[in-house]
Amino acid sequence: MKKLDAKILVEEFNKTRLKNIGKQFTGKELDSLLYKYCGFQNALTGVLKRNGIFEMSRGVGAQKLYRFTDTPLFVDKMDKFLQEWRNRGKRIPEQTQEEKSISFLKSQGYKIKVCRGFDEDRFKRENPDLYQKYLIYEDA
């Protein structure tokens, strides 16, 4: 895959922005427009949306509408957006509260053990009276 050039992407983006200032687009329309004229994949357009490059308003229902801003996009910002886009699959999943707690306890020197079953044969050998007491019988 050839490396995307931020300078070329910014030029194409700003040309498209100037032609479409004042127009509103749904998310899908914006994705299509930027793909058609700039070659942006939907994931890259998503990065731009999340980073506030477009003015956003609410349309009918929960639909979001987007407009190009008057401010041009610059190469340094596009470099950051491309980096975020390239790293999108490398995100570390967020830990649950339980996982965070276990990690904290381990870091404090505690050993965490998880029950993985019950050794019935050992229990039967070491506690035969108790084992007999809790057996369940049914009529044959």
Side-chain angles (χ1 to χ4, degrees), residues 93-103:
E94 193 170 321
Q95 287 185 320
T96 64
Q97 188 60 42
E98 182 180 49
E99 291 168 331
K100 288 177 186 177
S101 299
I102 290 171
S103 295

Side-chain angles (χ1 to χ4, degrees), residues 24-26 55-67:
Q24 284 191 327
F25 301 94
T26 64
E55 291 177 2
M56 188 183 74
S57 60
R58 296 277 179 206
V60 177
Q63 187 175 34
K64 296 176 185 175
L65 297 175
Y66 298 91
R67 273 194 307 264

Side-chain angles (χ1 to χ4, degrees), residues 47-98:
V47 170
L48 297 176
K49 289 175 188 174
R50 283 192 300 280
N51 283 283
I53 296 302
F54 306 99
E55 291 177 2
M56 188 183 74
S57 60
R58 296 277 179 206
V60 177
Q63 187 175 34
K64 296 176 185 175
L65 297 175
Y66 298 91
R67 273 194 307 264
F68 287 95
T69 64
D70 294 332
T71 309
L73 183 59
F74 295 101
V75 176
D76 60 331
K77 276 198 170 192
M78 180 56 82
D79 279 330
K80 286 197 287 190
F81 299 150
L82 285 172
Q83 189 63 38
E84 183 180 330
W85 174 70
R86 287 183 186 112
N87 292 333
R88 70 192 178 280
K90 298 177 187 173
R91 292 194 181 124
I92 298 169
E94 193 170 321
Q95 287 185 320
T96 64
Q97 188 60 42
E98 182 180 49

